Amino acid sequence: MSAIERMFLAPSLEEPTRLVTLTGVGGVGKTRVALDAAVALQPRFRDGAWLVELSPLRRQGDLLAHVIAETLPLADQTTRPMTEVLAEYLADRELLLVLDTCEHLVEDCARVAEALLRAAPGLRVLATSRRVLNAAGERVLTVEPLPVPEDDDARAGTADAVVLLTRRAMEAVPGFTVTDADHAELVRLCRRLEGLPLAIELAAARLRDLPVKELTARLDDRFAVLGDTDGIATDADPPWHQALRTAIGWSHELCTPAERLLWARLSVFAGSFDVETTQRICADDHLPAADIPAVLDTLMDKSILLWRPTGGGERYRMLDTIREFGAHWLRGLGEDDALRRRHRDHYLALARRGHAAWIGPDQFAWYDRMTAEHDNLRAALEFSLAEAEGQVALELTGTLWFFWQACGFVKEGRHYLDRALAADTAPSPARVKALYAIGQLLLYLGDLPALEERAAECTALAARFGDTERGYAAATELRVSAVRGDLESTVARAEAQLATDWREQPLTLLPLAALVFLTHSLVAAGRFEEAFRWLDELRAASERSGERSMCAWGDFVRAQAELALGLFEEARWHAREALVVKHRLRDGVGTAHALESLARSATATGRYRDAAWLLGLAAQLWETLGRPQAGIPPMVVAHQVCERRTREALGEDAYRHAFDAGHTTDPESGIVHALDSSSAPPL
């Protein structure tokens, strides 16, 4: 049992430790030690172990709780503070939370960890940081470099540092083998690098070009020349170990000019990046775009970059210590501000393209693209806000409406839109669009007072501008009527929006949303024939454009009408159609509503065990959203009727058994079962 396991499990102590921080110099392997401990400890925690990667967050401590929630995953869509929502979610759970790379957010990490540990007795937190958190109850473990043998004999080849060097050399150099004569040189090299894993990884990459003995000799020369004054560490930079500074500095010297320049420029990325984006941001006359793929490959070969395949293509990333070195050189080149501005401008252009393409056939591809770029979008927003470029921040946050709403980042979207609206209060079309965007999020959050306030400003401001801005204002007022539950006003406003030439124009969200609000209100009012006519138009418009998300909302509304009319199998089919799309887009509200509709269909057709299981699965999703159930008054009533009828039919014990089975099943496998009409739920 490791020291970390003993601290958390405390087999011989009265009180186990609940917060452990692993500290140590950069490159010593804190993350590796934490992950190994998490794997060993995971079976001891009923609700598992969860890794929260904080390095892409940079200095956005106010988003710490949001990032933890996304990891769990907890897609809260309430107006409560996220830390409070997290505390409630974790209160009765037993899990290990690994907060990796906390040194740039120590105060925020300490505050959030303390709050969560107070609320959740079954929670344990394992942090990695170059600095201690100074949190209540924290115990600190210093991660030391890998053991390096004192002598050079063959038995030294079993030491951890030598084993790592040998393994990485075999990966880097095809056919690499270690002879008895090589052992002494390998040991000398590890000793010179003082057992630091990252330094060893960088050195191993050089074995493609140099034999072990020559590599060791050159490193000896490098140490003698540089000592402690290699110019990397400054008062503003982290305290790096001399061996690591030397290994990174030497790797940098051995890079070509193009490799060094790209290394520096890549430091502007938060998280991962792909080839195309690298070309757009980093290329110029000194670094042609056509050369960049080859330079990325050579940086990967030298262990400067890490590569990983994804569903959307190949992506690269840098370890934090490597990125810090690149950022240091970028500042030295005088390019830091220019590259960060190019980075921001690229992601503003990406947001514009996503906005224009979202109502179209590539929604799923855009979802994948934008979620992969989430860290970089945050970095672009933070740059605009930090540089007091309020108009750009307004445009970027407003243009990302589809990302905030349809991709499941409602609460974070409100966070950024509130900040951007406060940063620039001057009247402008960008402000109108941002007010419209936040109105959509406030609808999801159910915050009627804030929605009314933003809608009033949007309407007053839009009068100064053109038809586009007035359309945004009308759409925002429509959402106010919908949240108020004013069916007559909602129908009137929606019909007014649709009494335009929208059918002759490129399709946008505004008429599609109006159709959804209109048909939902018509169904609630019992005006089914009118609702079906408009639903047919919604489906036809969506199919012509290839749009999926709003069409799925139409399927959900149609299922409500069919349930009311006794068309239960038709309702089941349309609820499944909605579930496929909403689950693919990680729309938690839409997914939960579709599951509720399937449960109502099951109850209506006498499949009571299926209904109870589906209600349990839906309840699990509502909890991740911070809501007890459907939220919309007609949906709450329908839920209560379904639950009561199912309980009465099954009896309390059988109902609870089936409900608990759905409530505790893995959500992904549960939704697969819900979509499979031939498969009974696993009770």
Side-chain angles (χ1 to χ4, degrees), residues 198 202 248 263 303-304 318-327:
L198 180 54
L202 293 171
I248 294 178
W263 180 348
S303 296
I304 304 305
M318 284 181 170
L319 294 176
D320 293 333
T321 310
I322 301 295
R323 180 185 290 112
E324 288 164 1
F325 186 96

Side-chain angles (χ1 to χ4, degrees), residues 190-474:
C190 290
R191 191 180 300 134
R192 177 43 99 183
L193 296 172
E194 302 184 44
L196 282 170
L198 180 54
I200 290 171
E201 301 252 2
L202 293 171
R206 305 308 311 174
L207 291 173
R208 291 188 181 91
D209 309 311
L210 299 171
V212 179
K213 187 172 183 178
E214 186 175 348
L215 176 61
T216 306
R218 290 200 182 188
L219 268 177
D220 283 340
D221 293 340
R222 173 78 184 181
F223 270 84
V225 171
L226 294 180
D228 290 319
T229 59
D230 58 15
I232 301 172
T234 71
D235 291 340
D237 291 319
W240 289 351
H241 198 289
Q242 179 189 352
L244 182 60
R245 297 202 308 271
T246 301
I248 294 178
W250 191 53
S251 293
H252 187 262
E253 277 192 5
L254 293 176
C255 286
T256 66
E259 291 166 350
R260 290 197 292 268
L261 183 57
L262 185 57
W263 180 348
R265 291 178 175 179
L266 290 172
S267 68
V268 301
F269 287 103
S272 63
F273 45 89
D274 61 18
V275 174
E276 179 187 356
T277 304
T278 303
Q279 290 173 312
R280 290 179 180 272
I281 294 174
C282 299
D284 63 8
D285 292 342
H286 302 290
L287 187 62
D291 295 348
I292 281 180
V295 180
L296 287 170
D297 285 342
T298 59
L299 287 174
M300 185 181 66
D301 289 341
K302 294 174 179 178
S303 296
I304 304 305
L305 294 179
L306 302 176
W307 169 88
R308 62 184 177 92
T310 69
E314 299 178 343
R315 294 186 72 83
Y316 300 84
R317 70 180 181 89
M318 284 181 170
L319 294 176
D320 293 333
T321 310
I322 301 295
R323 180 185 290 112
E324 288 164 1
F325 186 96
H328 171 80
W329 276 89
L330 190 66
R331 290 191 295 272
L333 292 170
E335 292 190 351
D336 183 62
D337 183 75
L339 261 292
R340 294 193 184 283
R341 199 170 298 280
R342 286 168 67 177
H343 177 276
R344 191 275 315 281
D345 291 345
H346 169 80
Y347 283 101
L348 175 58
L350 181 68
R352 289 169 177 160
R353 295 202 305 274
H355 163 80
W358 183 255
I359 303 300
D362 298 321
Q363 275 184 349
F364 292 170
W366 274 104
Y367 170 87
D368 294 339
R369 175 71 183 273
M370 299 305 284
T371 52
E373 298 289 3
H374 193 171
D375 292 327
N376 285 303
L377 290 169
R378 283 177 177 149
L381 284 163
E382 291 292 338
F383 177 84
S384 297
L385 291 164
E387 296 297 312
E389 297 181 353
Q391 271 292 301
V392 180
L394 277 174
E395 183 181 0
L396 183 51
T397 54
T399 303
L400 284 170
W401 64 266
F402 66 97
F403 180 65
W404 308 131
Q405 176 195 340
C407 298
F409 301 105
V410 172
K411 204 157 186 174
E412 182 178 335
R414 182 183 185 179
H415 166 83
Y416 276 119
L417 280 159
D418 278 337
R419 289 175 62 191
L421 287 163
D424 189 322
T425 58
S428 68
R431 185 170 184 84
V432 175
K433 188 174 183 179
L435 289 165
Y436 159 74
I438 201 170
Q440 296 184 72
L441 307 186
L442 294 169
L443 167 74
Y444 262 62
L445 294 169
D447 191 343
L448 179 58
L451 176 57
E452 290 174 329
E453 180 183 349
R454 294 299 194 184
E457 182 187 355
C458 188
T459 299
L461 193 58
R464 304 186 185 189
F465 301 105
D467 290 342
T468 298
E469 288 72 32
R470 285 191 284 273
Y472 286 146

Side-chain angles (χ1 to χ4, degrees), residues 28-45:
V28 79
K30 298 181 291 295
T31 299
R32 170 185 53 82
V33 173
L35 291 178
D36 288 346
V39 169
L41 285 163
Q42 184 166 357
R44 306 290 191 111
F45 290 92

Side-chain angles (χ1 to χ4, degrees), residues 611-674:
W613 184 86
L614 286 163
L615 287 171
L617 181 58
Q620 182 184 166
L621 292 179
W622 287 123
E623 288 169 10
T624 69
L625 296 167
R627 304 180 183 186
Q629 53 190 24
I632 302 172
M635 297 296 99
V636 172
V637 172
H639 167 90
Q640 292 170 343
V641 171
C642 176
E643 181 182 28
R644 184 178 67 253
R645 288 183 57 192
T646 306
R647 282 181 187 273
E648 291 171 352
L650 288 177
E652 184 60 32
D653 289 346
Y655 173 84
R656 179 51 57 184
H657 174 75
F659 179 93
D660 288 347
H663 191 249
T664 57
T665 195
D666 171 67
E668 294 295 322
S669 59
I671 288 170
V672 169
H673 281 289

Side-chain angles (χ1 to χ4, degrees), residues 563-575:
L563 285 166
L565 293 170
L567 304 172
F568 303 125
E569 285 305 314
E570 291 88 341
R572 186 182 182 189
W573 190 89
H574 283 110

Side-chain angles (χ1 to χ4, degrees), residues 116-238:
L116 299 183
L117 289 167
R118 280 195 303 270
L123 175 66
R124 302 292 184 269
V125 176
L126 177 59
T128 71
S129 178
R130 295 176 195 166
R131 301 162 56 196
V132 298
L133 304 188
N134 289 317
E138 177 185 22
R139 291 189 66 181
V140 178
L141 278 180
T142 301
V143 178
E144 301 291 348
L146 296 175
V148 179
E150 294 295 330
D151 53 45
D152 299 345
D153 64 25
R155 290 172 298 175
T158 62
D160 290 351
V162 179
V163 170
L164 176 62
L165 176 58
T166 303
R167 186 185 304 128
R168 292 294 182 262
M170 288 178 174
E171 294 170 0
V173 185
F176 181 87
T177 57
V178 180
T179 65
D180 289 343
D182 292 329
H183 278 296
E185 293 300 334
L186 289 171
V187 172
R188 282 186 59 214
L189 181 55
C190 290
R191 191 180 300 134
R192 177 43 99 183
L193 296 172
E194 302 184 44
L196 282 170
L198 180 54
I200 290 171
E201 301 252 2
L202 293 171
R206 305 308 311 174
L207 291 173
R208 291 188 181 91
D209 309 311
L210 299 171
V212 179
K213 187 172 183 178
E214 186 175 348
L215 176 61
T216 306
R218 290 200 182 188
L219 268 177
D220 283 340
D221 293 340
R222 173 78 184 181
F223 270 84
V225 171
L226 294 180
D228 290 319
T229 59
D230 58 15
I232 301 172
T234 71
D235 291 340
D237 291 319

